[in-house]
Amino acid sequence: HTVTRERLQCFVALCLGVGVMAGKYTREMNEAKPSDSDGQTVEFRIAKLNQVWEKAKRMQLSPVRLAELHSDLKIQEKDEMQWKKLKAEGFDENGEKEAQLRRNFNVILAKYGMDGKRDTRPLESNSLKDHDTKEGDAFDDPRLDKLWNKAKSSGKFSNEELLSLKREFQHHKDKIHEYNILMDTISRTEEIHKNVISPLEGDAKEHVLHQKHTELKQKMKDLNQGFERLRKLSHEGFTEDSEFREPRVIELWEAAKRANLSKDELDSLKEELHHFETKVEKHTHYQEQLELSHQKLQHVEALGDKEHIKRNQEKYNTLSEKTRDMGYKMKKHLQDLSNKISRQGLQHNEL
C-alpha cells in the first residue's frame, strides 16, 4: 500500500507539473510540427495520416479515443518513415514489410470505425465506464463471462484482487477485439480480391488465413495462452510473488519466461518491464485526467464565462497533448519490448 501511495503522490506531482510545463511543452510540440506542400502546419509527415486525423476530429470521438488514435498514427508514421529508409537502401525487396504496414493502417481505420464499414463488432471497452456494464454479462464472450462469474462467486478473492482480475479479463476482451479486427481486415482487404477464399466460410476460412498470415496465427496462440492463464488464475488465485500488476506487462513477462532466455537476460528484462509498467500506469492516469478535464470544460462552456473557458481550454489542450505523447511513448516501448523478446527467443532457439 505504501508503494501505491508513493506512486499516487508521484502522479499528483506529475499533474501539478503539467500546468507549469504547458507553455513550454505546447511550444515545443508546435515547433516540431511538419508542413504540407502549401506551407500549412500539419500533424503528420504523411498525407494519408493527416487525412485520417482531420476526418477523426470531425467524428465526435471521445477525447481519450482521439488521443489513442493520435498515438497509433504516430507509431504508423514512425514505421512508415523507417520503411522508406530501408526501401531506399534496397531492403524489403519482396514487399513483406510494405504489406504489413498497409495491413496496420487498415487495422487502424477499422479500429476507429473509419473503414467505411458499418461496425457490428462490439466497441472496445472503456475501463473508465466499467460501471455501465450489466452485471454478469461483462465481457461479450460466453467463455470469459462464465469464468468471471465463477471466480467472482468463489470467495477466493478480496475486493482489490477482484479489481485486478477484472482488469486482466478486460485486457483479454480487448485482445479478442483486436484479433477479430485483424482477421476481418485481412479477409476483406487482401483475400477477397484474390478470390482465394470467398467460397470458404467460418473455421475453414480462418484456417487458410492462419496458414497465410503468421501474425494472425501468433495472435491466436497469444489468445489461447492468455485464456489459459486466466483459467489458472481464476481457479488458484493470485500468488504472493506476482511481479507485475498491469496485464500488458504480465503478458510480456510470461512470454519472456517462455522464450528460453538466460538468467541475466531475464533479470535485465524484468528491470525494463518495471520501468515500462510505470509508463503504462502514468498513461492510464493521464487518460483519466483528460476525461475529467473534458467534463469540466463542457461544464464551464455551459456557464459561458469566457475567461474561465479559456483557462480550462488551455488546461485541456495541454493534457490532451501530454496524453497523446505518453500514449506514443508507451506504444513504442511496447513494440520495442515485444521485438526484443521474440528476437532473443529466436536466437536461443537457433543455437
Side-chain angles (χ1 to χ4, degrees):
H1 287 303
T2 325
V3 177
T4 320
R5 199 160 48 246
E6 282 170 4
R7 273 211 159 85
L8 213 62
Q9 286 165 346
C10 178
F11 284 155
V12 172
L14 259 164
C15 280
L16 294 174
V18 170
V20 181
M21 288 156 40
K24 176 175 174 285
Y25 186 81
T26 315
R27 200 161 57 245
E28 279 171 10
M29 287 289 282
N30 287 336
E31 279 165 11
K33 286 203 177 144
S35 308
D36 63 11
S37 50
D38 305 332
Q40 296 287 316
T41 302
V42 287
E43 200 67 33
F44 301 96
R45 287 170 288 181
I46 296 170
K48 68 176 179 187
L49 301 185
N50 280 315
Q51 285 162 1
V52 169
W53 179 243
E54 290 307 318
K55 182 181 173 184
K57 286 194 294 189
R58 297 191 295 269
M59 273 175 66
Q60 307 282 300
L61 294 175
S62 76
V64 170
R65 243 170 110 60
L66 199 59
E68 272 294 276
L69 169 65
H70 192 281
S71 24
D72 280 343
L73 290 173
K74 211 71 186 137
I75 290 280
Q76 181 75 14
E77 176 183 55
K78 170 188 72 75
D79 290 345
E80 295 214 10
M81 300 304 269
Q82 277 173 351
W83 170 77
K84 276 183 180 161
K85 225 174 126 184
L86 284 174
K87 182 91 173 145
E89 289 164 12
F91 292 98
D92 196 35
E93 281 182 10
N94 62 0
E96 202 177 315
K97 184 72 185 147
E98 185 177 8
Q100 167 85 49
L101 285 170
R102 196 165 40 242
R103 187 154 62 242
N104 290 354
F105 180 66
N106 284 324
V107 163
I108 291 174
L109 295 183
K111 185 175 165 186
Y112 295 93
M114 299 168 84
D115 53 353
K117 176 175 183 276
R118 205 177 135 268
D119 204 348
T120 51
R121 296 176 296 255
L123 262 185
E124 254 173 309
S125 65
N126 177 353
S127 52
L128 304 176
K129 296 195 170 64
D130 268 350
H131 53 271
D132 292 348
T133 52
K134 289 204 306 288
E135 271 306 318
D137 186 24
F139 303 106
D140 305 320
D141 181 282
R143 283 203 313 169
L144 280 185
D145 289 337
K146 194 175 167 188
L147 199 56
W148 169 249
N149 289 328
K150 213 168 167 183
K152 210 169 51 168
S153 55
S154 71
K156 275 195 197 97
F157 301 95
S158 66
N159 285 344
E160 201 174 325
E161 284 175 334
L162 266 180
L163 276 175
S164 299
L165 190 63
K166 188 170 189 179
R167 279 224 308 269
E168 299 249 5
F169 271 76
Q170 203 63 66
H171 175 63
H172 192 78
K173 175 189 166 175
D174 290 345
K175 280 179 60 189
I176 294 173
H177 182 68
E178 280 169 24
Y179 172 82
N180 288 335
I181 281 183
L182 182 63
M183 170 84 178
D184 197 42
T185 304
I186 287 175
S187 58
R188 279 189 311 121
T189 57
E190 295 174 28
E191 306 303 336
I192 301 303
H193 301 310
K194 297 175 192 157
N195 264 335
V196 183
I197 284 180
S198 27
L200 295 175
E201 275 309 317
D203 291 348
K205 178 175 175 174
E206 192 161 3
H207 177 67
V208 178
L209 287 177
H210 277 190
Q211 281 181 323
K212 277 185 67 78
H213 294 283
T214 44
E215 186 189 359
L216 204 54
K217 198 174 176 179
Q218 186 55 48
K219 269 201 183 336
M220 189 46 140
K221 193 177 165 192
D222 289 348
L223 276 179
N224 289 335
Q225 281 165 341
F227 186 76
E228 263 318 296
R229 188 175 173 279
L230 281 182
R231 211 165 58 85
K232 194 164 178 265
L233 208 50
S234 304
H235 289 308
E236 297 172 17
F238 288 93
T239 52
E240 286 306 305
D241 59 344
S242 298
E243 278 292 339
F244 302 102
R245 290 171 309 282
E246 283 292 332
R248 262 171 294 199
V249 186
I250 293 167
E251 202 170 37
L252 286 169
W253 180 235
E254 295 288 325
K257 286 192 291 190
R258 285 193 301 268
N260 208 358
L261 306 180
S262 71
K263 187 180 180 311
D264 284 354
E265 284 172 327
L266 267 181
D267 286 345
S268 133
L269 197 65
K270 188 191 284 187
E271 200 172 320
E272 196 177 343
L273 284 172
H274 277 296
H275 290 302
F276 176 61
E277 186 165 59
T278 308
K279 215 174 263 182
V280 173
E281 288 173 340
K282 219 152 118 184
H283 178 236
T284 306
H285 176 73
Y286 273 113
Q287 286 181 315
E288 287 164 1
Q289 292 303 311
L290 180 63
E291 182 73 34
L292 290 171
S293 171
H294 183 242
Q295 286 167 10
K296 189 168 180 199
L297 180 61
Q298 285 178 315
H299 176 69
V300 168
E301 279 172 345
L303 297 175
D305 176 345
K306 281 196 167 53
E307 192 48 46
H308 212 158
I309 292 173
K310 185 170 177 280
R311 254 202 328 275
N312 277 278
Q313 184 71 54
E314 279 169 6
K315 249 186 205 163
Y316 171 73
N317 291 348
T318 301
L319 261 175
S320 193
E321 281 183 357
K322 196 72 184 134
T323 308
R324 291 175 199 173
D325 191 45
M326 277 302 314
Y328 169 70
K329 283 178 178 157
M330 186 205 68
K331 284 175 185 186
K332 184 178 181 306
H333 200 169
L334 177 62
Q335 226 181 22
D336 294 343
L337 282 164
S338 304
N339 291 339
K340 193 178 193 172
I341 292 167
S342 52
R343 204 168 48 240
Q344 285 180 332
L346 271 177
Q347 282 166 358
H348 281 276
N349 290 335
E350 283 164 5
L351 291 176

